[in-house]
């Protein structure tokens, strides 16, 4: 497959249990403005003309996905191969879809828990990092003063040059598979870029948007609803 032929593939790990949300169903299925959270991310990729296909990774015993993404959903394949950690879910998904993805195709990994993604942010990431050999990710520059308690007391860490990683994180298929496969401790890899960095590579940081925050605590649902009422361009 030549470079010109490379496609953009979305992969959404959605096999977590959302322990910090303390809700009855996994976090990715909680309703936000009446719609299951997972659908927002899926629909952002469906609406983007730059995305060739979307894979959603759920756990083998997931009882909800059929009601949220019925069979025949355009451009979407559900893979029931989730693992014990986010990293393992992604690696299992990459390997399950191996026959459908070229080595140079760019895989955009996006958390199901970020319903604020838009086709505009997907386009920005692809336009600004699509030509980067080490890939790239959406991230936000830190605006608050940063405090650290690591040394026992309280210390201030200069915020210059600090970023908060978001998703999607986009890498060539073969590079991402190699990086995640080489990671020694799956639970220590909380985003894909850190596995790429462990190979000595520097993914490009592309400025994202606060609306693309990760829904983690119950109070985040109302914040997500506020952003989702705004123009999703
Ligand atoms: O729990 P957290 O918000 O960090 O999860 C980030 C993403 O990783 C979520 O979309 C979650 O469903 C997914 N995940 C997964 N498999 C796991 C743990 C988390 O697909 N074992």
């Amino acid at each position: 497959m030549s470079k010109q032929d490379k496609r953009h593939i979305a992969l959404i790990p959605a096999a977590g249990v959302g322990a910090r949300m303390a809700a009855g169903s996994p976090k990715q299925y909680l309703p936000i403005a009446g719609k299951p959270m997972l659908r927002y991310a899926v629909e952002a990729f469906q609406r983007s003309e730059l995305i060739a296909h979307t894979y959603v990774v759920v756990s083998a015993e997931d009882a909800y996905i059929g009601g949220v993404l019925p069979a025949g959903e355009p451009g979407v394949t559900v893979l029931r191969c989730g693992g014990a950690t986010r990293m393992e879910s992604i690696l299992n998904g990459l390997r399950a879809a191996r026959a459908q993805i070229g080595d140079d195709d760019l895989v955009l990994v996006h958390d199901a828990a970020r319903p604020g993604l838009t086709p505009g942010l997907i386009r920005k990431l692809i336009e600004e990092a699509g030509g980067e050999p080490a890939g790239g990710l959406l991230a936000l520059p830190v605006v608050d003063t940063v405090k650290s308690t690591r040394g026992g007391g309280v210390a201030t860490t200069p915020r210059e040059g600090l970023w908060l990683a978001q998703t999607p994180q986009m890498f060539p298929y073969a590079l991402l598979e190699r990086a995640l496969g080489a990671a020694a401790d799956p639970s220590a890899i909380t985003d894909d870029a850190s596995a790429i960095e462990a190979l000595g590579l520097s993914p490009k940081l592309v400025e994202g948007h606060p609306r693309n925050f990760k829904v983690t605590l119950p109070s985040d649902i109302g914040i997500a609803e506020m952003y989702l009422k705004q123009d999703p361009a």
Side-chain angles (χ1 to χ4, degrees), residues 12-20 27-28 57 82-90 110-114 190 214-216:
I12 304 177
V17 292
R20 283 171 291 184
K27 172 168 73 169
Q28 58 273 23
V57 179
T85 63
R86 177 185 185 278
M87 196 207 92
E88 287 164 313
S89 295
I90 293 165
H110 182 67
D111 288 334
R114 294 184 186 270
T190 54
K214 185 163 77 171
V215 174
T216 305

Side-chain angles (χ1 to χ4, degrees), residues 2 6 15 26 60 77 88 95 102 114 132 136 141 150 159 161 175-176 184 191 193 196 211:
S2 73
K6 70 185 177 189
T77 300
E88 287 164 313
R95 289 174 175 164
R114 294 184 186 270
E132 297 287 324
R150 281 193 185 146
R159 66 179 170 226
L175 174 63
L176 181 59
D191 79 339
I196 303 288
R211 64 171 286 138

Side-chain angles (χ1 to χ4, degrees), residues 107 125 129-130 132 134-138 168-172 193 203-206:
V107 180
L125 176 65
E132 297 287 324
L137 58 144
L138 293 181
Q169 304 199 348
M170 176 179 71
F171 310 97
K204 181 170 182 184
L205 301 181
V206 175

